[in-house]
Amino acid sequence: MLAVYIAVGVAVLLYLLFFLENRRFCSVCTVCEHTAIRQAFRVVQISDLHDARFGKEQSRLIQTIREAKPDYIVITGDLFNRRNHKASKHVFELIKGILDIAPVYFAEGNHECVMLEDGEHYLSQLSDLGVNVLRNAYADVPHCRIVGLKQFASTGEIKRLLSKNRCNIVLSHRPERIDVYSDSGADVVLCGHAHGGQLRFGHHGMYAPQQGFFPKYTEGWHQQKNTKMYVSRGLGNTIPIPRVFDTPELNVIDFQPMQKEVSNVC
């Protein structure tokens, strides 16, 4: 019986440990050099918030974004939580707190899509607040073209959105569609969705939606043909099991012109 109590106690302690770990986040900085980039700029990527909270009125998250001094803030889907259609308070606290930092661009995730009318209502609210909601649409900004995709945009649809004269930064929720992105000729794609593989051992995640067990695309840089894809582990969670060894993350990406001597970038 003592062994049972000990086992239960250890299980509870581990759950509390990882539960608390899911309440913090880290800021992950990376560099991308690309031949299409003419001038350096900085992007903060927010992914898979799922209405999670980091500090009162998102104060910790907002302060970290402010300190990064980005030129653009991009959101790669799943701000909201389909398991609770009314969970939007923390989303709008974040949005209202970052709009004065830099222009904000949003591409939809699977949660916004399956929420149907509620999802459409929330996206309309984002747009009314000043967020650039891009659904198979683009915005030309001083440094690049920012393209936001719908979840299942085809190769042809993506090609029609890309610029031939600018670096194309494509926002798309799903990393497992890298074949489509590379076939379309996208320069850089920013994704989320995989939640870092939920449970991580070293650099390997255990499970991701649409990728199954031992997924390939859960974090960091990947390249296929001439397309570079960055996968954020994201900030939130939607299942009762906490993320394990998988700290939520905010991403800071410095885009730079290609140097003659390229070291370990992208």
Side-chain angles (χ1 to χ4, degrees), residues 130-150:
V131 175
N132 298 280
V133 176
L134 302 176
R135 306 170 82 182
N136 282 1
Y138 65 83
D140 284 331
V141 298
H143 300 89
C144 62
R145 171 172 287 186
I146 300 176
V147 179
L149 299 183
K150 291 185 177 181

Side-chain angles (χ1 to χ4, degrees), residues 47-64:
S47 199
D48 298 270
L49 180 71
H50 294 299
D51 200 53
R53 182 180 68 174
F54 297 93
K56 183 179 179 181
E57 297 182 342
Q58 300 286 28
S59 56
R60 288 189 287 127
L61 198 51
I62 293 168
Q63 183 60 28
T64 301

Side-chain angles (χ1 to χ4, degrees), residues 36 38 140 145 159 161-168 187:
R38 300 289 178 262
D140 284 331
R145 171 172 287 186
K159 283 182 177 180
L161 295 169
L162 301 180
S163 170
K164 296 180 180 178
N165 305 311
R166 290 168 165 263
C167 180
N168 296 284
D187 298 318

Side-chain angles (χ1 to χ4, degrees), residues 59-86:
S59 56
R60 288 189 287 127
L61 198 51
I62 293 168
Q63 183 60 28
T64 301
I65 296 171
R66 191 176 298 280
E67 290 174 355
K69 298 180 179 179
D71 295 290
Y72 312 104
I73 300 169
V74 302
I75 303 171
T76 49
D78 282 6
L79 271 177
F80 301 94
N81 186 351
R82 69 178 176 85
R83 299 181 187 280
N84 182 356
H85 284 214
K86 304 303 179 185

Side-chain angles (χ1 to χ4, degrees), residues 25-28 30 42-49 61 65 68 70 72-77 94 98 105 169-175 188-193 220-221 229-235 249-255:
F25 70 94
C26 59
S27 181
V28 176
T30 187
R42 172 171 284 186
V43 168
V44 163
Q45 179 187 4
I46 300 167
S47 199
D48 298 270
L49 180 71
L61 198 51
I65 296 171
Y72 312 104
I73 300 169
V74 302
I75 303 171
T76 49
L94 174 63
I98 63 175
Y105 300 86
I169 309 299
V170 178
L171 314 180
S172 187
H173 189 59
R174 294 176 176 268
V188 181
V189 184
L190 306 182
C191 301
H193 190 50
W221 288 106
M229 181 178 75
Y230 188 73
V231 185
S232 170
R233 294 201 307 265
L235 287 158
E249 68 178 24
L250 180 76
N251 308 95
V252 180
I253 307 171
D254 283 321
F255 291 88

Side-chain angles (χ1 to χ4, degrees), residues 178 203 205 208 211-219 222-224 231:
I178 188 171
H203 297 290
Q211 296 187 65
F213 289 99
F214 309 109
K216 184 176 182 179
Y217 307 112
T218 60
E219 70 163 1
H222 304 267
Q223 181 155 353
Q224 187 162 301
V231 185

